[in-house]
Amino acid sequence: MEIADLIAGEPASVSTWTHRVYERIRGQSLSDAAWRSLFELGVDTALARRDLDGLRSVLSLAATYYDSIGDQFGCLPNFEATMARVQDDPQARAVELECTHDILIGNS
């Protein structure tokens, strides 16, 4: 499965999709454009559906992907960009803060 296959369409289930994505990209250093397209598709889909579990899965995907390539804090710019997007949504913001906390505490 190529990266293009993973971003070809909106996933039926964001959480299931993130698991498939991680199996495909684990340990591979993706280009910034490839990673950004995967991450943005997941976040866009989760937010459009108000799928908080999906959002959590996408943020977890970012953390585990970067950890798999040896950059344990590499996901933080993605988290910051997502926080800017969800600042007016208390529920999505709470998920974002929870995931950020888990990353910072888990990797300290």
Side-chain angles (χ1 to χ4, degrees), residues 22-77:
Y22 185 67
E23 288 174 2
R24 172 65 179 92
I25 67 173
R26 176 182 44 225
Q28 295 181 41
S29 189
L30 300 177
S31 69
D32 287 338
W35 169 250
R36 192 171 39 257
S37 63
L38 287 168
F39 185 77
E40 289 176 1
L41 174 61
V43 170
D44 290 347
T45 303
L47 292 177
R49 294 179 184 172
R50 305 269 319 130
D51 178 0
L52 298 177
D53 288 333
L55 178 60
R56 184 176 285 108
S57 292
V58 175
L59 295 169
S60 178
L61 170 65
T64 55
Y65 163 67
Y66 277 100
D67 194 47
S68 82
I69 61 170
D71 185 3
Q72 64 186 16
F73 295 113
C75 63
L76 291 179

Side-chain angles (χ1 to χ4, degrees), residues 88-99:
D88 295 329
D89 181 337
Q91 291 177 316
R93 189 175 65 237
V95 167
E96 172 79 25
L97 288 171
E98 175 187 309
C99 291

Side-chain angles (χ1 to χ4, degrees), residues 9-10 19 35 42 47 54 60 78 107:
E10 192 174 282
H19 291 291
W35 169 250
L47 292 177
S60 178
N78 298 130
N107 287 320

